[in-house]
PDB file of all heavy atoms in Angstrom:
ATOM      1  N   VAL L 417       8.095  17.239  39.696  1.00 93.00           N
ATOM      2  CA  VAL L 417       6.920  17.192  40.570  1.00 93.00           C
ATOM      3  C   VAL L 417       6.704  15.807  41.168  1.00 93.00           C
ATOM      4  O   VAL L 417       5.638  15.517  41.710  1.00 93.00           O
ATOM      5  CB  VAL L 417       5.625  17.617  39.842  1.00 93.00           C
ATOM      6  CG1 VAL L 417       5.689  19.070  39.443  1.00 93.00           C
ATOM      7  CG2 VAL L 417       5.354  16.735  38.637  1.00 93.00           C
ATOM      8  N   GLY L 418       7.693  14.926  41.049  1.00 91.00           N
ATOM      9  CA  GLY L 418       7.572  13.597  41.647  1.00 91.00           C
ATOM     10  C   GLY L 418       6.441  12.807  41.016  1.00 91.00           C
ATOM     11  O   GLY L 418       6.215  12.885  39.803  1.00 91.00           O
ATOM     12  N   PHE L 419       5.702  12.110  41.852  1.00 93.00           N
ATOM     13  CA  PHE L 419       4.649  11.244  41.336  1.00 93.00           C
ATOM     14  C   PHE L 419       3.313  11.966  41.179  1.00 93.00           C
ATOM     15  O   PHE L 419       2.294  11.316  40.999  1.00 93.00           O
ATOM     16  CB  PHE L 419       4.492  10.020  42.255  1.00 93.00           C
ATOM     17  CG  PHE L 419       5.500   8.948  41.978  1.00 93.00           C
ATOM     18  CD1 PHE L 419       6.670   8.877  42.696  1.00 93.00           C
ATOM     19  CD2 PHE L 419       5.278   8.026  40.948  1.00 93.00           C
ATOM     20  CE1 PHE L 419       7.608   7.886  42.413  1.00 93.00           C
ATOM     21  CE2 PHE L 419       6.202   7.044  40.663  1.00 93.00           C
ATOM     22  CZ  PHE L 419       7.376   6.970  41.397  1.00 93.00           C
ATOM     23  N   ASN L 420       3.328  13.292  41.257  1.00 92.00           N
ATOM     24  CA  ASN L 420       2.071  14.040  41.206  1.00 92.00           C
ATOM     25  C   ASN L 420       1.196  13.705  40.003  1.00 92.00           C
ATOM     26  O   ASN L 420      -0.016  13.591  40.126  1.00 92.00           O
ATOM     27  CB  ASN L 420       2.348  15.548  41.219  1.00 92.00           C
ATOM     28  CG  ASN L 420       2.515  16.041  42.629  1.00 92.00           C
ATOM     29  OD1 ASN L 420       2.459  15.244  43.568  1.00 92.00           O
ATOM     30  ND2 ASN L 420       2.717  17.334  42.794  1.00 92.00           N
ATOM     31  N   ASN L 421       1.851  13.576  38.840  1.00 93.00           N
ATOM     32  CA  ASN L 421       1.068  13.290  37.637  1.00 93.00           C
ATOM     33  C   ASN L 421       0.362  11.952  37.745  1.00 93.00           C
ATOM     34  O   ASN L 421      -0.780  11.796  37.321  1.00 93.00           O
ATOM     35  CB  ASN L 421       1.969  13.295  36.404  1.00 93.00           C
ATOM     36  CG  ASN L 421       2.508  14.677  36.120  1.00 93.00           C
ATOM     37  OD1 ASN L 421       1.765  15.654  36.170  1.00 93.00           O
ATOM     38  ND2 ASN L 421       3.795  14.768  35.852  1.00 93.00           N
ATOM     39  N   TYR L 422       1.066  10.976  38.315  1.00 95.00           N
ATOM     40  CA  TYR L 422       0.469   9.647  38.473  1.00 95.00           C
ATOM     41  C   TYR L 422      -0.667   9.691  39.491  1.00 95.00           C
ATOM     42  O   TYR L 422      -1.733   9.105  39.287  1.00 95.00           O
ATOM     43  CB  TYR L 422       1.536   8.644  38.911  1.00 95.00           C
ATOM     44  CG  TYR L 422       2.549   8.354  37.830  1.00 95.00           C
ATOM     45  CD1 TYR L 422       3.711   9.104  37.725  1.00 95.00           C
ATOM     46  CD2 TYR L 422       2.327   7.343  36.902  1.00 95.00           C
ATOM     47  CE1 TYR L 422       4.635   8.851  36.726  1.00 95.00           C
ATOM     48  CE2 TYR L 422       3.248   7.080  35.907  1.00 95.00           C
ATOM     49  CZ  TYR L 422       4.401   7.832  35.822  1.00 95.00           C
ATOM     50  OH  TYR L 422       5.303   7.581  34.819  1.00 95.00           O
ATOM     51  N   ILE L 423      -0.420  10.411  40.582  1.00 94.00           N
ATOM     52  CA  ILE L 423      -1.451  10.511  41.612  1.00 94.00           C
ATOM     53  C   ILE L 423      -2.710  11.141  41.031  1.00 94.00           C
ATOM     54  O   ILE L 423      -3.823  10.660  41.208  1.00 94.00           O
ATOM     55  CB  ILE L 423      -0.930  11.321  42.817  1.00 94.00           C
ATOM     56  CG1 ILE L 423       0.203  10.551  43.495  1.00 94.00           C
ATOM     57  CG2 ILE L 423      -2.048  11.625  43.805  1.00 94.00           C
ATOM     58  CD1 ILE L 423       0.986  11.362  44.495  1.00 94.00           C
ATOM     59  N   ARG L 424      -2.503  12.230  40.279  1.00 89.00           N
ATOM     60  CA  ARG L 424      -3.635  12.909  39.658  1.00 89.00           C
ATOM     61  C   ARG L 424      -4.410  11.972  38.734  1.00 89.00           C
ATOM     62  O   ARG L 424      -5.637  11.969  38.717  1.00 89.00           O
ATOM     63  CB  ARG L 424      -3.123  14.096  38.839  1.00 89.00           C
ATOM     64  CG  ARG L 424      -3.586  15.441  39.343  1.00 89.00           C
ATOM     65  CD  ARG L 424      -3.174  16.491  38.358  1.00 89.00           C
ATOM     66  NE  ARG L 424      -4.076  16.467  37.206  1.00 89.00           N
ATOM     67  CZ  ARG L 424      -4.983  17.388  36.976  1.00 89.00           C
ATOM     68  NH1 ARG L 424      -5.106  18.413  37.779  1.00 89.00           N
ATOM     69  NH2 ARG L 424      -5.770  17.326  35.927  1.00 89.00           N
ATOM     70  N   LEU L 425      -3.664  11.184  37.973  1.00 92.00           N
ATOM     71  CA  LEU L 425      -4.306  10.247  37.044  1.00 92.00           C
ATOM     72  C   LEU L 425      -5.223   9.288  37.786  1.00 92.00           C
ATOM     73  O   LEU L 425      -6.364   9.069  37.379  1.00 92.00           O
ATOM     74  CB  LEU L 425      -3.241   9.419  36.328  1.00 92.00           C
ATOM     75  CG  LEU L 425      -2.753   9.915  34.991  1.00 92.00           C
ATOM     76  CD1 LEU L 425      -1.809   8.906  34.394  1.00 92.00           C
ATOM     77  CD2 LEU L 425      -3.922  10.155  34.058  1.00 92.00           C
ATOM     78  N   PHE L 426      -4.689   8.742  38.882  1.00 93.00           N
ATOM     79  CA  PHE L 426      -5.495   7.759  39.588  1.00 93.00           C
ATOM     80  C   PHE L 426      -6.633   8.407  40.375  1.00 93.00           C
ATOM     81  O   PHE L 426      -7.459   7.711  40.951  1.00 93.00           O
ATOM     82  CB  PHE L 426      -4.609   6.874  40.475  1.00 93.00           C
ATOM     83  CG  PHE L 426      -3.889   5.840  39.663  1.00 93.00           C
ATOM     84  CD1 PHE L 426      -2.581   6.022  39.268  1.00 93.00           C
ATOM     85  CD2 PHE L 426      -4.563   4.692  39.248  1.00 93.00           C
ATOM     86  CE1 PHE L 426      -1.942   5.075  38.476  1.00 93.00           C
ATOM     87  CE2 PHE L 426      -3.927   3.743  38.461  1.00 93.00           C
ATOM     88  CZ  PHE L 426      -2.611   3.931  38.079  1.00 93.00           C
ATOM     89  N   GLN L 427      -6.676   9.723  40.378  1.00 88.00           N
ATOM     90  CA  GLN L 427      -7.830  10.407  40.958  1.00 88.00           C
ATOM     91  C   GLN L 427      -8.818  10.836  39.881  1.00 88.00           C
ATOM     92  O   GLN L 427      -9.866  11.373  40.167  1.00 88.00           O
ATOM     93  CB  GLN L 427      -7.380  11.635  41.750  1.00 88.00           C
ATOM     94  CG  GLN L 427      -6.671  11.271  43.048  1.00 88.00           C
ATOM     95  CD  GLN L 427      -5.995  12.461  43.663  1.00 88.00           C
ATOM     96  OE1 GLN L 427      -5.796  13.480  43.006  1.00 88.00           O
ATOM     97  NE2 GLN L 427      -5.610  12.347  44.920  1.00 88.00           N
ATOM     98  N   THR L 428      -8.425  10.642  38.614  1.00 87.00           N
ATOM     99  CA  THR L 428      -9.292  11.051  37.513  1.00 87.00           C
ATOM    100  C   THR L 428     -10.246   9.919  37.173  1.00 87.00           C
ATOM    101  O   THR L 428      -9.808   8.809  36.879  1.00 87.00           O
ATOM    102  CB  THR L 428      -8.457  11.400  36.267  1.00 87.00           C
ATOM    103  OG1 THR L 428      -7.469  12.343  36.643  1.00 87.00           O
ATOM    104  CG2 THR L 428      -9.323  11.996  35.175  1.00 87.00           C
TER     105      THR L 428
END
Side-chain angles (χ1 to χ4, degrees):
Chain L
V417 294
F419 278 95
N420 275 2
N421 293 315
Y422 291 91
I423 294 168
R424 244 188 77 107
L425 266 185
F426 283 99
Q427 289 168 344
T428 307

